[in-house]
Amino acid sequence: MKPLTETKAFTATRNACKLCAPLGASMAYKGIQGCVPLIHGSQGCATYVRRYMISHYKEPIDIASSSFSEESTIFGGGPTLKLAMFNVGNQYKPYHIGVTTTCLSETIGDDVPQIIKEFRGEAPELAHIGLAHASTPSYCGTHVDGFHQAIVSVIKYLSSEAEPNNKLVLLPGMLSPADYRYLTEIMERMDIDVIMLPDLSESLDNPHWEDYKRIPDGGTTPEQLKSLGGAKSYMQFGDVLNKGMIANTVKRKNINTPGSVLEEMYNMPGATTGFPIGINATDRFFNLLEKMTGKAIPEKYTKERGRLVDAYTDGHKYVFDKRAVIYGEEDFVIGLTEFLTEIGIKPVLIATGGESSAFKGIVKSKLNPRHNPEIMVGADFEEIAEKCREIEKPDIMIGHSKGYYIARELNFPLLRVGFPIHDRFGSQRVLHIGYEGAHRLFENIANALIEYKQENSPVGWKYM
Ligand code: SF4
């Protein structure tokens, strides 16, 4: 009999290369000022989400749970969800509650919009609290899908028609607080009246507090949500966004991205561009920004770009033709692929846990035509590990910390980017986007390769 490890016929996911959809939804709700995420399901789901977010962001993360019991599982979760909204409304005094559904509540078929409607009638004293609801079963998508579904719900439930104004709605997607701060600074320097939706720049990376705050500062304000319907245009980052959810269920034929909901609800024109990682993608972002707002790019960014070109020239010899494995969320991986191609690194394995049918085609369009990497969709880490063992040894792995055990086994460096990063400090301050983000990524990759070579050299050289 063959040992189990040689058997290929696995049908179950082993160590998923994606996370839970309510996790992404909770992250998005954390970027709305005064919003408390409420996970409709068992306490275990909320604990997992809290644990992942605390470990990455090093912030207090309060996430409520409707705390399913056996009774709710059999007779429906309506009473527990109502009680949870009542308790959160009274104890946290939030501006909004963001309800995100779990696998269990979706499987038993709780009609959450109806439960919310009944709650409105039963708790008129809490009528001032906005209630948003995102349908986020994890078996229909990833944490990124959950993130975008939550933003869609914020637009649908918490925004309203408004007087026409000159604002730009920026939908950056799942990026770090450092990335959000970088975008905020660009908008300030270009004097663009922006509504960042969500705004994670402060709420998931707050300064030190003297006294504990139940709801952290920061996030898209209620006033911004009130003026959202009158905004002049929107810009959203991402090629795949939450469209991959369609692939997973026939029920979800009409998945809308946040941008398409703005178009539908408010007839708002807009543009979609990939994550601005690397020079080419950042150029496209700035050009689009100039075109949409009529504002010129400040000199600070043309200088940043110039320094980046200089760094590429100086460091090219350290990175050229190196072989990289990259993995993570679809849009983030697409951004990384374009960036690595731009700096002369050869991706040999590109993997995502997402299942969008568009992913492979978009990735291929970003590659150097001479490169022909393995591209894995809907992958788990065991499949990625197996593929890494089969191919010629890569020089570097780029992704979040869940891939560490592969890098450790096969002995190559891992550069930690994206979410989640549980085994390093400062994860919330990793800058990925813009010329500055590309500069830092480039230096970190070059130095990881240099360090690996130096550490594994029989000669203790000190100069390069
Ligand atoms: S059961 Fe579903 S919702 Fe709950 S933690 Fe697991 S994947 Fe997330």
Side-chain angles (χ1 to χ4, degrees):
M1 197 174 119
K2 272 188 169 184
L4 191 62
T5 47
E6 283 179 26
T7 307
K8 293 281 182 196
F10 280 98
T11 51
T13 297
R14 298 160 296 160
N15 197 359
C17 183
K18 61 180 178 182
L19 305 169
C20 148
L23 188 156
S26 301
M27 203 186 280
Y29 285 138
K30 280 281 174 191
I32 307 298
Q33 193 181 67
C35 184
V36 175
L38 197 172
I39 294 185
H40 183 39
S42 71
Q43 281 194 0
C45 299
T47 304
Y48 154 73
V49 169
R50 272 201 304 269
R51 184 240 172 274
Y52 258 61
M53 289 180 67
I54 290 168
S55 170
H56 180 90
Y57 292 109
K58 310 283 189 286
E59 291 286 320
I61 304 281
D62 280 27
I63 289 175
S65 165
S66 58
S67 195
F68 260 44
S69 59
E70 288 85 349
E71 195 181 309
S72 346
T73 309
I74 296 164
F75 299 112
T80 55
L81 180 56
K82 287 178 192 170
L83 182 62
M85 289 189 286
F86 183 79
N87 286 340
V88 171
N90 282 309
Q91 288 172 24
Y92 281 76
K93 311 214 177 317
Y95 295 150
H96 319 286
I97 297 173
V99 179
T100 164
T101 49
T102 59
C103 304
L104 180 55
S105 63
E106 288 283 340
T107 302
I108 65 170
D110 270 348
D111 184 350
V112 175
Q114 177 61 25
I115 297 168
I116 289 178
K117 204 169 152 196
E118 289 169 13
F119 177 76
R120 284 298 193 200
E122 292 163 21
E125 72 281 15
L126 299 179
H128 58 284
I129 297 175
L131 297 174
H133 154 239
S135 169
T136 48
S138 280
Y139 47 77
C140 288
T142 68
H143 53 309
V144 180
D145 296 315
F147 187 100
H148 293 303
Q149 289 298 99
I151 296 307
V152 165
S153 79
V154 169
I155 298 169
K156 281 189 176 166
Y157 290 90
L158 306 181
S159 76
S160 50
E161 292 278 355
E163 286 294 309
N165 56 60
N166 210 26
K167 292 178 194 292
L168 169 73
V169 182
L170 187 59
L171 303 154
M174 232 190 79
L175 288 168
S176 72
D179 292 322
Y180 272 79
R181 282 197 289 273
Y182 186 79
L183 290 168
T184 305
E185 194 193 298
I186 291 172
M187 300 300 143
E188 281 170 5
R189 283 179 182 268
M190 290 179 74
D191 196 23
I192 295 170
D193 194 358
V194 71
I195 300 174
M196 200 95 80
L197 185 61
D199 185 351
L200 303 177
S201 56
E202 292 265 325
S203 56
L204 288 176
D205 189 20
N206 255 277
H208 174 74
W209 306 327
E210 287 303 324
D211 297 308
Y212 176 67
K213 297 179 188 180
R214 282 188 148 179
I215 301 180
D217 297 335
T220 314
T221 65
E223 293 70 33
Q224 287 177 318
L225 291 177
K226 275 189 198 132
S227 63
L228 192 81
K232 190 176 168 199
S233 54
Y234 75 84
M235 187 195 291
Q236 70 182 346
F237 291 170
D239 296 291
V240 172
L241 294 150
N242 48 334
K243 289 179 273 187
M245 289 188 89
I246 302 167
N248 291 311
T249 167
V250 280
K251 214 173 96 187
R252 295 172 173 272
K253 280 196 181 123
N254 300 315
I255 290 291
N256 286 314
T257 66
S260 67
V261 174
L262 288 173
E263 281 178 27
E264 211 173 271
M265 282 178 67
Y266 302 120
N267 204 18
M268 194 185 295
T272 299
T273 185
F275 278 9
I277 302 178
I279 289 183
N280 290 318
T282 306
D283 285 352
R284 285 202 298 276
F285 160 63
F286 272 115
N287 291 340
L288 201 53
L289 206 52
E290 267 192 321
K291 202 169 136 197
M292 291 174 78
T293 63
K295 307 272 173 98
I297 302 173
E299 195 189 7
K300 172 184 161 71
Y301 300 105
T302 48
K303 281 192 173 170
E304 259 183 21
R305 187 185 192 283
R307 273 193 294 274
L308 178 57
V309 172
D310 192 48
Y312 278 11
T313 314
D314 293 342
H316 190 59
K317 58 190 172 221
Y318 306 118
V319 302
F320 176 71
D321 227 19
K322 292 289 188 268
R323 299 161 49 79
V325 172
I326 43 180
Y327 59 87
E329 299 101 56
E330 288 147 313
D331 280 319
F332 193 68
V333 166
I334 289 168
L336 282 176
T337 302
E338 185 174 9
F339 167 65
L340 293 183
T341 303
E342 171 179 292
I343 62 176
I345 288 189
K346 191 198 292 182
V348 289
L349 173 57
I350 299 172
T352 181
E355 295 185 46
S356 162
S357 53
F359 178 75
K360 274 191 184 178
I362 301 170
V363 163
K364 281 182 184 164
S365 74
K366 306 291 180 194
L367 287 165
N368 182 323
R370 288 187 297 111
H371 297 162
N372 189 23
E374 287 276 349
I375 304 175
M376 299 172 77
V377 174
D380 65 28
F381 276 104
E382 287 308 303
E383 289 168 323
I384 297 172
E386 281 158 16
K387 195 55 75 181
C388 284
R389 289 179 203 117
E390 276 170 26
I391 60 178
E392 188 189 329
K393 188 179 171 186
D395 297 294
I396 191 163
M397 194 173 203
I398 302 171
H400 50 75
S401 58
K402 287 189 79 181
Y404 170 64
Y405 76 101
I406 303 173
R408 182 181 164 95
E409 177 197 320
L410 299 176
N411 185 31
F412 44 69
L414 166 66
L415 182 71
R416 290 158 178 83
V417 289
F419 179 94
I421 302 175
H422 295 317
D423 60 347
R424 285 292 180 277
F425 183 69
S427 325
Q428 69 277 52
R429 286 178 286 276
V430 176
L431 182 68
H432 309 90
I433 62 165
Y435 303 123
E436 182 63 28
H439 202 142
R440 292 190 202 173
L441 286 178
F442 181 73
E443 285 183 349
N444 287 338
I445 291 170
N447 282 330
L449 292 165
I450 291 166
E451 184 179 336
Y452 180 84
K453 192 172 173 189
Q454 189 179 32
E455 299 268 303
N456 289 280
S457 165
V459 181
W461 43 270
K462 300 192 289 294
Y463 296 98
M464 297 194 295

